[in-house]
Amino acid sequence: MTPIERAPAAPQAAVRCEPVPTWVECAPYAVPADPSASRFIDNGLCRLLSESQVNLCLLERQWHFRRVQKVLTRAGAERVSHFGVEFDPAYEQVAIHHVRIFRGGEIIEHAHADAFQTFRREANLEMLILNGRLTTSLLIPDVRVGDIVETAVTVTGSNPALKGKFAGWVAFDELEPFYQCRHRQIRPVDRPVACRTFNDPPAEAITVADGVVDARWCLEDAPRHEVEEYAVPWHLHAPTLQFSEFPAWSDVACLFAPYYETAEIPEGLAREIDQLGTKYPDPADRAVEWLRFVQRELRYFALSFGEGGLMPRGLAAIWSSRFGDCKDAAQLYVAGARRLGLDACAALTSTTHGMALPDFLAASDLFNHCIVRLRLKGTSYWLDPTCPEQAGRLTKLSQVHFGWALPLSGDADTLEQIGPGEPVPQVNVEDEVEFGPKPDSTARLTRQVEYYSRAADDVRHRFANGGSADYANDRLKEVLAFWPRAHQTGAIEVQDDRPDNCLTVILRYEIPDCWRQEGKRLAFQICDLVVASELGTLKPAEREGAIILGRPRQLGHRITLKMPRKWTGDGWHHGEEGEGISFFNRLRIEGRTLVNERAITVSSWTMPAAGAADYKRVVEAMHTNVLNIWARKRFGRIAPVAVGRFGLNFDFGWAWLIWVGIMFVAAILKAYGQK
């Protein structure tokens, strides 16, 4: 049976309408003294209560959710009138208790079994993810301004792949706060569940009776919090509780590692692996060529039904279908790598919170991506088989940079850091402009763009899927923004150094009327389009949190101007830096050649809040990105703007002319004196 055949067909609702479970405590909710308090109001609703309760004393885990909101406007009525709950029918059941309206002294109940519709939305299908989750939905009729709407639902069950282990999160949302947020957890006294707190959540209140621990948290009348711009995305900003039943990272690894231990390799796949091993005897070449094979042959598509959301499929299913998600791709790569004599294992990481994994309790729900750790000659390489086909030797390959990962191998009992995070060259632009002798002469621009590592792979992928015409058109638009009459000359030229993972693109343009008249002077302007756009402007304000800088990287832009005659001036060399970033901008004048170089190096993912002033200073210098060259028209030709004490430009040509003039005047005076 194929994985597609295992997918549930048109689902029947695993939803019931029934009373609230006896273990749930339905305590009254509080109402703000000032019902118009703005921090609890959004989209025409006043958020009164958000409550969750979890029961770990039963054979199957139960989560109970309750929400109460007051309708203030018609927009609020439209928003609250749609009730929905999402669940996985493979292992979860939903019981709906209340969908009720309080209107004056009247209570109107809409939780009737025949009122609900259950359907599969597959909201992530455009991302090639099919998870089979269902949504039970109700459009609540006749919701009016002034109504209070209360909903209550309980979800029973957990993924069998977790073997009954519990892990979960509770966030007291400060971005859209409720007036009252409550959480309750009950568990057997002999079932330890660790709790870690973030950002000062409310204090825990615990009671123990009849062998049951009852823990409660309540946050009331909380201030509204605004997330700062360029906030670090893996930092938690709201008061948060993390729960975990896993004592250590080794327990998480031991839970998932068996799913990736595959000994049986299909015969056809084994032949492909053996042929590759014969062709590439060097282990480093084997590792990277096998990676490219998996990336080339395995299409990405995620079938995450039930347990499949946490465990890979078998190799036979993966190879016969030639598609899979990150878990399947890691499973395939690890099996082939081990047959090739390589030390490889699957590793779990997080694309969103990978940098912060060491700050959390060991838990099963922290990961959303599976990659591969390859060890060769004492060095760890972190590979992603789901990427489009990558170029480069193993040492030049663009590797994963998610911070930390949990290797699923026998010798791994903790998290391992992914790479040193050294700045990697990404893009370097070389512009060369050759001017004609006159202001109306056509200038020639040669633009050479060098892409490295991940950037090179991205451009190769773009060329492979859409050709180079759109790329060339985008570059032409950048040129036309400064010189509307410019046009491309010749075809785009591509030089691909795949072993070093460097892709070079060369484009050539002609620019008529490149000089602009500004008063008595002529001006030529050229813009840096690479470095200036790397970091955004920070609004002037006091900073509390760190600033995100992004992946460590290097980018540069060099502009070489070949002038029609010798140019004068001292040039400049400006530099700005802060913790984790440095920028320089320099101009050299070398006879007829002017060279402007701008480069930024980001050496850290973040900058501390205390460095906000440095950040602003660096970015301000980066955003001054237009190079102005001033000239004048002299006898119909281009000449530098006059400098010096007497307003003269004493280069060799002018000195010769002045010397001839002086000699001519001297000869006249001498002849006049003789008379």
Side-chain angles (χ1 to χ4, degrees), residues 23-168:
W23 66 267
V24 173
E25 187 173 283
C26 298
Y29 55 86
V31 177
D34 179 7
S36 64
S38 60
R39 63 183 180 276
F40 308 116
I41 295 174
D42 194 21
N43 295 310
L45 293 171
C46 182
R47 299 178 292 267
L48 299 177
L49 173 68
S50 177
E51 181 179 62
S52 60
Q53 301 180 47
V54 61
N55 189 342
L56 302 179
C57 296
L58 307 174
L59 291 178
E60 292 189 278
R61 184 192 68 195
Q62 288 191 344
W63 275 92
H64 176 79
F65 303 93
R66 180 184 176 204
R67 178 166 289 190
V68 182
Q69 300 179 89
K70 183 174 183 179
V71 180
L72 302 179
T73 67
R74 177 180 174 180
E78 293 174 349
R79 186 176 181 86
V80 79
S81 63
H82 179 240
F83 167 79
V85 56
E86 185 179 305
F87 63 100
D88 192 321
Y91 55 84
E92 289 180 327
Q93 291 184 328
V94 173
I96 298 173
H97 314 301
H98 303 309
V99 180
R100 57 175 55 152
I101 294 174
F102 294 87
R103 184 178 298 154
E106 185 181 8
I107 301 176
I108 307 170
E109 180 62 72
H110 292 286
H112 308 293
D114 57 354
F116 294 92
Q117 291 185 334
T118 299
F119 50 89
R120 183 186 297 171
R121 294 177 61 192
E122 295 298 352
N124 295 318
L125 188 58
E126 67 279 2
M127 300 171 61
L128 303 179
I129 299 174
L130 192 66
N131 59 27
R133 294 182 67 82
L134 306 183
T135 298
T136 290
S137 175
L138 170 66
L139 185 62
I140 307 173
D142 191 24
V143 179
R144 306 177 188 177
V145 174
D147 287 351
I148 292 178
V149 180
E150 177 181 340
T151 60
V153 59
T154 298
V155 179
T156 302
S158 60
N159 196 313
L162 297 177
K163 310 296 185 186
K165 292 284 189 178
F166 173 66

Side-chain angles (χ1 to χ4, degrees), residues 288 292 295 388-393 396-398 453 456-457 460 496-502:
V288 76
R292 282 194 267 269
Q295 292 173 337
E389 186 177 346
Q390 296 175 278
R393 297 185 296 270
K396 294 292 185 178
L397 197 75
S398 175
S453 188
D457 288 330
R460 283 192 199 93
D496 194 356
D497 183 350
R498 294 183 68 87
D500 277 341
N501 204 6
C502 175

Side-chain angles (χ1 to χ4, degrees), residues 449-617:
V449 188
E450 299 167 347
Y451 298 97
Y452 302 91
S453 188
R454 179 184 177 189
D457 288 330
D458 289 343
V459 177
R460 283 192 199 93
H461 185 64
R462 178 176 180 176
F463 286 173
N465 288 278
S468 60
D470 285 343
Y471 173 91
N473 190 49
D474 288 344
R475 302 291 78 77
L476 178 58
K477 289 178 181 178
E478 295 170 352
V479 174
L480 292 175
F482 261 71
W483 307 290
R485 295 184 58 197
H487 57 273
Q488 184 176 337
T489 59
I492 183 174
E493 181 181 341
V494 179
Q495 302 171 357
D496 194 356
D497 183 350
R498 294 183 68 87
D500 277 341
N501 204 6
C502 175
L503 182 76
T504 302
V505 180
I506 302 174
L507 305 111
R508 296 177 175 85
Y509 308 93
E510 286 187 347
I511 310 172
D513 303 328
C514 63
W515 293 96
R516 300 173 184 172
Q517 190 74 44
E518 294 192 8
K520 295 182 178 181
R521 299 187 299 179
L522 299 171
F524 173 81
Q525 294 182 331
I526 188 168
C527 181
D528 159 39
L529 300 173
V530 181
V531 176
S533 61
E534 274 303 292
L535 297 174
T537 303
L538 196 65
K539 296 177 182 177
E542 291 294 327
R543 187 83 188 181
E544 294 183 1
I547 304 167
I548 182 66
L549 301 177
R551 182 191 302 255
R553 60 201 182 278
Q554 296 174 335
L555 299 100
H557 191 172
R558 182 166 66 181
I559 302 169
T560 301
L561 305 176
K562 294 188 174 181
M563 310 307 295
R565 59 175 303 151
K566 184 178 180 182
W567 224 252
T568 60
D570 298 328
W572 65 72
H573 188 167
H574 306 308
E576 297 289 350
E577 63 180 28
E579 187 172 341
I581 52 175
S582 63
F583 167 75
F584 74 82
N585 178 5
R586 61 173 171 248
L587 176 70
R588 303 194 314 273
I589 300 176
E590 303 169 345
R592 294 190 175 191
T593 301
L594 282 65
V595 180
N596 179 225
E597 295 176 289
R598 297 164 52 87
I600 180 175
T601 299
V602 178
S603 56
S604 174
W605 281 85
T606 63
M607 173 183 282
D614 294 334
Y615 178 92
K616 295 175 187 176
R617 189 178 63 254

